Amino acid sequence: MLRHRRGRHQPQRRRDARRGARRSGRRGRRRRNQVSDAFSRTRDAARRCDGVVCRRVAVRPADAYGAVARRALRDARPGAEAADFLEAIGVPAFKTGSGELTNLPLQRHIARKHKPMIVSTGMSTPEEIDRTVQTVRAEGAPFALMHCTSTYPTPYEHVQLGYISRLQERYRVPVGLSDHTLGSYMAFAAAATGANLFEKHVTVSRSLPGPDQQGSMEPAELRELVQGIRAIEKANGATKTIQPGEQDVRNMAHHSVVSIREIAAGATIAAGDVWAKRPGTGIPARQLDEVIGRVAKRSIPADRLIRWEDLEPAL
């Protein structure tokens, strides 16, 4: 009886298993489609927003990145074989995360490809950064560093923006901020203080699952961030000149030597006869003392700009 019952239900079990497999396959396909769609929307948003580091944003198809992730799970040398694969599909540069900073064999392997590297430095010590920089430099690869705090999201007091300039001074390479704070404040501050690069995680929706979704930016926020950084780049000059458009304001706002009472022709101008008033189109206020003691060539009404031609030549 038991054998008969087991045999009778065996086809049903097989049918259930096949249905389960089909459902699982459909779920997998839906998930892959969702990921691909999300990737495409992020790529398109990035292209519309303009890149923060470079003017054009080149994004590889989602299945290429999926292939990298799948290879990483089965590689005998995790990271190294993924880097080889990325080189094979033609990436122009390599970015290593903070978790790879102390993986000197991997850093060396990538540096030997002699493509530009961007190296994140989160959750590390100055000594560890030193060792990695020495390793990469020994292979002759060009590189930049990313100052980073590896908490999601990062509290403002843990960002330590001032360390960007210290890294720039110590290593004489471009240094950026890999930002995991909420919002755009740190991006704008980093741009204003001289960061050369900027990295921010982007998502099509913070409602998606994942460890860093809550600290990521949605496309509209990314657009605003890029526009803000571009504005700060324009504002970051360090020279002082009279800018176009300032001259008209200067003429109105500066002060000139003005008679504060009537001065008769032939009179010697006294300190009580003149003062500095707007506009700034006459004798500059700084030359008031040069006017005092001069002789008026002609009668000068009260409250009038004094001109050099109103005065006799100095003796």
Side-chain angles (χ1 to χ4, degrees):
M1 292 293 293
L2 289 175
R3 282 197 302 273
H4 177 69
R5 181 177 298 173
R6 192 163 51 243
R8 186 182 66 181
H9 288 285
Q10 193 69 24
Q12 181 65 40
R13 291 195 185 103
R14 284 197 294 269
R15 285 195 295 272
D16 291 345
R18 284 195 294 270
R19 289 193 193 101
R22 285 196 295 271
R23 283 195 296 269
S24 177
R26 285 194 295 270
R27 283 196 298 269
R29 284 192 295 275
R30 281 198 299 270
R31 179 59 180 161
R32 286 193 295 274
N33 290 338
Q34 289 169 353
V35 170
S36 179
D37 181 58
F39 183 91
S40 298
R41 282 184 285 159
T42 302
R43 174 199 59 200
D44 294 341
R47 285 174 174 164
R48 288 195 301 272
C49 287
D50 182 17
V52 174
V53 175
C54 52
R55 287 289 176 179
R56 296 187 63 187
V57 179
V59 184
R60 288 281 176 183
D63 55 352
Y65 289 103
V68 174
R70 290 192 296 274
R71 290 175 69 93
L73 293 174
R74 63 172 186 264
D75 282 351
R77 296 183 303 152
E81 293 182 28
D84 295 343
F85 175 76
L86 289 171
E87 183 181 33
I89 65 172
V91 297
F94 288 91
K95 162 71 164 59
T96 58
S98 297
E100 282 76 50
L101 180 78
T102 59
N103 187 346
L104 299 186
L106 176 60
Q107 298 284 355
R108 185 179 298 110
H109 180 82
I110 295 173
R112 285 175 177 169
K113 299 180 184 300
H114 299 290
K115 288 188 175 182
M117 295 177 63
I118 301 174
V119 181
S120 277
T121 62
M123 51 189 175
S124 65
T125 66
E127 294 75 20
E128 289 170 335
I129 298 172
D130 270 345
R131 284 193 287 270
T132 299
V133 167
Q134 291 166 8
T135 298
V136 173
R137 274 195 168 143
E139 303 301 331
F143 69 96
L145 297 173
M146 299 297 282
H147 175 55
C148 176
T149 305
S150 299
T151 50
Y152 305 87
T154 303
Y156 293 143
E157 60 270 23
H158 294 173
V159 175
Q160 302 294 303
L161 279 178
Y163 204 68
I164 292 174
S165 61
R166 295 185 65 178
L167 289 171
Q168 289 170 328
E169 292 166 4
R170 180 168 181 79
Y171 300 114
R172 302 296 178 183
V173 296
V175 178
L177 175 67
S178 178
D179 180 30
H180 302 136
T181 64
L182 298 176
S184 302
Y185 294 163
M186 295 303 101
F188 297 155
T193 54
N196 305 112
L197 303 92
F198 186 77
E199 176 188 6
K200 189 80 172 180
H201 291 204
V202 178
T203 180
V204 293
S205 172
R206 278 191 287 272
S207 64
L208 290 172
D212 62 348
Q213 295 291 344
Q214 291 304 307
S216 298
M217 280 192 156
E218 294 184 352
E221 297 167 320
L222 175 64
R223 185 179 299 109
E224 182 180 350
L225 178 140
V226 173
Q227 290 170 347
I229 288 178
R230 293 287 176 245
I232 292 167
E233 287 174 341
K234 292 179 180 178
N236 253 354
T239 60
K240 183 60 180 173
T241 61
I242 298 173
Q243 298 294 334
E246 280 192 309
Q247 189 62 53
D248 289 344
V249 180
R250 174 188 171 96
N251 290 344
M252 178 275 295
H254 277 211
H255 296 71
S256 303
V257 178
V258 175
S259 58
I260 57 176
R261 57 189 174 202
E262 185 177 353
I263 302 171
T268 299
I269 296 175
D273 295 331
V274 289
W275 190 242
K277 294 184 181 182
R278 288 179 173 178
T281 53
I283 298 172
R286 69 177 185 274
Q287 294 181 281
L288 177 68
D289 290 344
E290 298 176 37
V291 173
I292 295 171
R294 298 283 287 271
V295 175
K297 184 186 295 186
R298 59 181 66 91
S299 176
I300 303 172
D303 205 29
R304 204 199 80 174
L305 289 174
I306 295 178
R307 307 288 182 183
W308 289 116
E309 54 266 29
D310 295 329
L311 308 175
E312 296 287 356
L315 297 177

